[in-house]
Amino acid sequence: MNSNIIWGIVLLALSLFLKPLLAIVGLNEKLFGLHLQGETVFSLSPILVRIILAVIGVIMLIIGGMQAAKKKNK
């Protein structure tokens, strides 16, 4: 199996199960923000992070599938 396909599946799984995984590990949404001296300077909502992970995962799956198809045709 192509490494891009594996990474795509991992990123899609992360995007689906991000909130429960963070709860299990004990992390919270502050992970997605940049904090300086107690104030939030930059923050991404968890939904946005999940969408970004899903999009990157789908792109990796497509790239991996195309590479696998090229190898099969040769």
Side-chain angles (χ1 to χ4, degrees), residues 14 17-28 31:
L14 262 178
F17 303 111
L18 185 64
K19 193 121 179 154
L21 283 175
L22 286 177
I24 290 168
V25 178
L27 298 171
N28 59 10
L31 182 72

Side-chain angles (χ1 to χ4, degrees), residues 12-69:
L12 282 174
L14 262 178
S15 72
L16 291 174
F17 303 111
L18 185 64
K19 193 121 179 154
L21 283 175
L22 286 177
I24 290 168
V25 178
L27 298 171
N28 59 10
E29 276 84 19
K30 286 186 177 180
L31 182 72
F32 307 126
L34 176 65
H35 304 279
L36 281 176
Q37 299 171 345
E39 289 191 33
T40 304
V41 177
F42 171 75
S43 181
L44 280 175
S45 70
I47 274 278
L48 186 62
V49 172
R50 292 171 77 172
I51 290 170
I52 291 169
L53 284 173
V55 167
I56 293 172
V58 168
I59 290 170
M60 294 292 277
L61 280 173
I62 291 169
I63 291 171
M66 287 170 42
Q67 287 176 347

